Every structure is written in C-alpha cells, then in structure tokens.
Amino acid sequence: MSIFNIIAIILVAAAIASYINYRFIKLPATIGLMVIGLFMSLAMVTLNFLGMDIQEPAEKFLEQVDFG
C-alpha cells in the first residue's frame, strides 16, 4: 500500500469522525475526535474478543505508517 493510500484512509477516517461529531455529538473538535477514537478502539477490542480477527489487519496497516 502506498503512502498516498495510507494518508487518504487516515484523512477520510478523520473527516467522517469530525462530521459525526459536528452533526450529532457537538463536542469541541479535539475532544470529539478523541471520544470517537476511544469508542472505535473499544469496538475493535470487543470484536477481537468476540472472535473477529481485526487486530492483525490493523497491526499490518499501522506497521506501514511512518510516524517519525
């Protein structure tokens, strides 16, 4: 996966989360994104606990991102 695809996925996820916050939750932007990120993380942990293998694809995706 190219760096442009990774950036596009991250930007789209942030835009969708921002829209959900703006339209429904109505918290300040930084707090709303943090809360949505928390719920997404909890959903991934719950789905992994229920037997859906989400952790491995997420780890492979994040290994490709250079955060440095």
Side-chain angles (χ1 to χ4, degrees):
M1 187 177 290
S2 74
I3 188 70
F4 296 112
N5 289 342
I6 293 171
I7 291 171
I9 290 170
I10 292 171
L11 283 174
V12 167
I16 291 170
S18 294
Y19 176 74
I20 290 170
N21 178 46
Y22 178 77
R23 184 83 169 129
F24 301 109
I25 302 172
K26 298 188 189 299
L27 289 172
T30 53
I31 296 172
L33 287 175
M34 181 192 65
V35 169
I36 291 171
L38 174 68
F39 283 121
M40 290 175 63
S41 297
L42 289 173
M44 288 182 65
V45 169
T46 303
L47 289 174
N48 194 30
F49 179 73
L50 293 174
M52 298 179 124
D53 186 28
I54 293 191
Q55 183 175 352
E56 186 176 330
E59 286 177 356
K60 285 182 181 180
F61 174 74
L62 289 176
E63 285 175 357
Q64 296 176 2
V65 179
D66 182 19
F67 289 107

